[in-house]
């Protein structure tokens, strides 16, 4: 017989007998006498009675056993109360279950950033830095199956069992490309080392930056001051591509996300002084071409962040007079 109750409390004599009688016609159609006088029914009743006794015993776990299970779950540092009989066993079980549900280890690449942000600032690794830099990590990203400590030519090759964690500190003194110090990288590695799987090869590195150039021709509205329109356009593009506050969620564009022409058009279309944009082009190290061989996007590796290097604009006022502005990022970081 196949019995699938939901719990030991449902393994009662009556329930077992009812299910057994319901299964007999399907399993043995020739067995038609289901009265208590039938020897087969007598055996079924005997087994149902024994099963009910065993189920009752299984469901009766002594408190001492539960305290022992809690000691196994909570680890060697945990100690049961001096007088278990006077303690609230239910509260102890609930506390153990809450601890089991709490994330501690970085099992997947997606676990890394939440673990660093939740527990990193108060960790011994952060205290060893002598300041709050681990608490102020601006960006964290993890890439599975990559060893980014390899030379650039081989860094993107598949690396089984490896997870590379990219950390970006907040910019200091208008840094264009903030990079973590070796001390910060060691502190992050020490924090994650205690939380990684034994088989994981952890690598902690700084970010790689992919330079992007944008050029466009703008048609201005009739009442638009050209100098103001050009300045607003540069400011809007820089804000949209800011590595800390840009992107659709104002937290920076994701690592590895390609820069599409449509991203640039969306920024230009929202400008109040710009009537239309044309001849928008992108330049960068990984161009993605369309069917007509024009560049439709700039691709990025999974560990790269896009940074604007150059913006070239030509705006035409209502008299078709050209006004040009070129902005180039300063190498301050």
């Amino acid at each position: 017989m196949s019995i699938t109750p939901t719990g030991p409390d449902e393994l009662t004599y009556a329930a077992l007998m009812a299910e057994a009688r319901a299964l007999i016609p399907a399993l043995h159609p020739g067995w038609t006498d289901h009265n208590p006088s039938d020897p087969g029914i007598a055996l079924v009743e005997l087994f149902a009675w024994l099963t009910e006794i065993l189920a009752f015993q299984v469901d009766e776990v002594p408190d001492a056993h539960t305290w022992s299970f809690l000691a196994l779950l909570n680890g060697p540092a945990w100690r049961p109360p001096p007088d278990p009989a006077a303690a609230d066993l239910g509260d102890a079980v609930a506390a153990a279950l809450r601890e089991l549900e709490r994330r501690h280890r970085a099992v997947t690449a997606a676990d890394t950033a939440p673990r660093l942000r939740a527990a990193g600032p108060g960790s011994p690794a952060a205290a060893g830095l002598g300041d709050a830099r681990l608490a102020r990590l601006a960006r964290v990203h993890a890439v599975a199956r990559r060893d980014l400590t390899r030379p650039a030519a081989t860094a993107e090759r598949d690396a089984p069992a490896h997870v590379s964690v990219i950390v970006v500190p907040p910019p200091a003194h208008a840094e264009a490309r903030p990079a973590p110090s070796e001390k910060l990288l060691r502190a992050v590695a020490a924090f994650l080392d205690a939380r990684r799987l034994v088989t994981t090869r952890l690598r902690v590195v700084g970010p790689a930056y992919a330079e992007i150039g944008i050029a466009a021709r703008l048609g201005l509205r009739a009442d638009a001051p050209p100098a103001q329109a050009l300045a607003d356009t540069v400011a809007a593009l820089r804000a949209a591509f800011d590595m800390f506050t840009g992107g659709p969620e104002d937290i920076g564009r994701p690592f590895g996300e390609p820069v599409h022409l449509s991203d640039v058009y969306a920024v230009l279309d929202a400008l109040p002084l710009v009537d239309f944009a044309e001849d928008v082009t992108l330049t960068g190290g990984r161009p993605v071409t369309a069917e007509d061989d024009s560049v439709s996007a700039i691709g990025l590796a999974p560990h790269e962040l896009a940074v604007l290097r150059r913006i070239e604009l030509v705006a035409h006022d209502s008299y078709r007079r050209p006004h040009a502005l070129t902005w180039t990022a300063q190498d301050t970081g």
Side-chain angles (χ1 to χ4, degrees), residues 18-312:
E19 186 162 356
R21 282 196 172 95
L23 290 171
I24 289 174
L27 298 176
H28 201 300
W31 185 356
T32 57
D33 187 359
H34 301 166
N35 294 310
S37 58
D38 182 79
I41 295 298
L43 287 174
V44 172
E45 290 176 340
L46 175 62
F47 291 137
W49 176 67
L50 291 173
T51 302
E52 184 183 37
I53 293 174
L54 293 174
F56 176 80
Q57 292 175 345
V58 167
D59 205 29
E60 293 297 310
V61 179
D63 289 352
H65 288 186
T66 303
W67 287 113
S68 298
F69 294 147
L70 290 175
L72 289 173
L73 286 174
N74 292 319
W78 184 85
R79 292 289 182 273
D83 185 7
D88 192 324
L89 181 59
D91 286 347
V93 171
L97 292 177
R98 286 195 299 270
E99 182 63 21
L100 286 175
E101 293 173 355
R102 184 177 66 86
R103 285 189 177 185
H104 172 70
R105 294 195 175 277
V107 177
T108 68
D111 295 334
T112 304
R115 286 294 80 223
L116 271 174
R117 298 195 188 283
S123 67
L129 286 174
D131 58 30
R133 282 180 295 178
L134 188 54
R136 296 186 295 110
L137 286 177
R139 302 289 301 271
V140 179
H141 182 62
V143 182
R145 302 179 69 93
R146 292 291 186 275
D147 181 2
L148 297 180
T149 60
R150 291 175 174 175
T154 60
E156 295 181 37
R157 292 181 183 174
D158 187 47
H162 284 73
V163 173
S164 287
V165 180
I166 305 116
V167 294
V168 185
H173 309 297
E175 281 183 301
R177 304 177 185 183
S181 64
E182 287 298 323
K183 190 175 181 181
L184 178 58
L185 293 178
R186 289 195 298 269
V188 174
F191 172 81
L192 293 175
D193 188 62
R195 291 161 175 80
R196 66 177 176 86
L197 295 180
V198 175
T199 55
T200 299
R201 301 293 178 264
L202 189 68
R203 303 289 185 263
V204 182
V205 298
Y209 295 110
E211 294 184 347
I212 305 296
I214 297 175
R217 297 174 63 85
L218 308 176
L220 304 182
R221 298 188 182 277
D223 57 347
Q228 184 63 48
L230 289 169
D232 289 351
T233 302
V234 169
L237 288 171
R238 292 183 63 187
F241 288 92
D242 187 278
M243 71 180 71
F244 302 116
T245 60
E249 299 182 6
D250 299 329
I251 57 174
R253 291 174 60 87
F255 280 82
E257 181 175 279
V259 178
H260 296 274
L261 279 176
S262 57
D263 299 331
V264 181
Y265 275 110
V267 176
L268 301 178
D269 186 60
L271 294 172
L273 299 180
V274 175
D275 187 25
F276 63 89
E278 60 184 4
D279 297 334
V280 178
T281 59
L282 290 171
T283 55
R286 298 171 184 256
V288 178
T289 57
E291 293 182 357
D292 60 355
D293 293 331
S294 64
V295 176
S296 61
I298 301 298
L300 273 69
H303 62 286
E304 288 183 326
L305 279 175
V307 293
L308 278 182
R309 176 63 178 174
R310 187 177 177 88
I311 301 175
E312 298 179 74

